[in-house]
């Protein structure tokens, strides 16, 4: 994501995009809401173990009937209807290897330039 120019921040489960709020994420988390409803409907507590079980028992087979472009248009329309602003990527960021190469180049330049 960073290589594409998006800024990210770490979370306990991985990472999130900078500029996307937790509320924005919940708008598109239909599957998570479905899983939680299933657990609660069963009278159980929402725990990681129960989420794992419900995830397996509620998954439906995917029947893809739309193209990627059609899905993207649908998602954009849904985001606009919910007033979710999608951040645009900034300048692509260097990956770790490229950053290290750049640092070495700077060090060489400074050392040789003296």
């Amino acid at each position: 994501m960073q290589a594409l120019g998006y800024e990210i921040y770490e979370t306990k489960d991985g990472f999130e995009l900078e500029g996307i709020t937790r509320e924005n994420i919940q708008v598109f988390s239909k599957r998570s809401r479905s899983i939680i409803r299933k657990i609660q409907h069963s009278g159980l507590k929402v725990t990681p173990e129960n989420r794992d079980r419900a995830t397996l028992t509620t998954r439906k087979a995917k029947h893809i009937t739309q193209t990627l472009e059609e899905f993207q248009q649908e998602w954009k329309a849904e985001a606009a209807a919910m007033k979710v602003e999608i951040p645009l990527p900034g300048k692509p960021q260097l990956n770790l290897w490229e950053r290290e190469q750049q640092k070495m180049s700077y060090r060489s330049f400074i050392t040789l330039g003296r």
Side-chain angles (χ1 to χ4, degrees), residues 94-109:
L94 301 176
N95 65 35
L96 181 59
W97 185 85
E98 291 169 325
R99 282 195 302 258
E100 290 304 314
Q101 291 297 313
Q102 193 175 55
K103 284 181 193 175
M104 288 173 34
S105 294
Y106 290 144
R107 285 189 205 118
S108 297
F109 177 76

Side-chain angles (χ1 to χ4, degrees), residues 15-105:
F15 70 91
E16 300 288 353
L17 288 178
E18 198 66 56
I20 299 285
T21 65
R22 176 64 19 209
E23 293 79 23
N24 295 156
I25 293 167
Q26 293 304 319
V27 167
F28 290 96
S29 297
K30 296 177 197 116
R31 176 96 172 106
S32 292
R33 287 194 306 270
S34 172
I35 291 167
I36 290 171
R37 277 195 305 272
K38 168 80 171 170
I39 295 168
Q40 292 170 336
H41 183 73
S42 300
L44 300 171
K45 286 186 175 183
V46 179
T47 65
E49 295 81 15
N50 288 337
R51 286 180 73 102
D52 288 346
R53 268 188 234 107
T55 298
L56 296 174
T57 60
T58 60
R59 183 169 305 266
K60 296 177 186 172
K62 293 184 180 182
H63 300 288
I64 300 174
T65 59
Q66 294 174 290
T67 65
L68 176 59
E69 292 77 18
E70 290 169 331
F71 275 118
Q72 289 173 332
Q73 288 301 318
E74 188 177 303
W75 296 330
K76 286 178 185 177
E78 189 175 348
M82 301 300 268
K83 298 191 178 8
V84 173
E85 290 189 33
I86 300 172
L88 297 174
K91 181 180 175 190
Q93 298 180 16
L94 301 176
N95 65 35
L96 181 59
W97 185 85
E98 291 169 325
R99 282 195 302 258
E100 290 304 314
Q101 291 297 313
Q102 193 175 55
K103 284 181 193 175
M104 288 173 34
S105 294

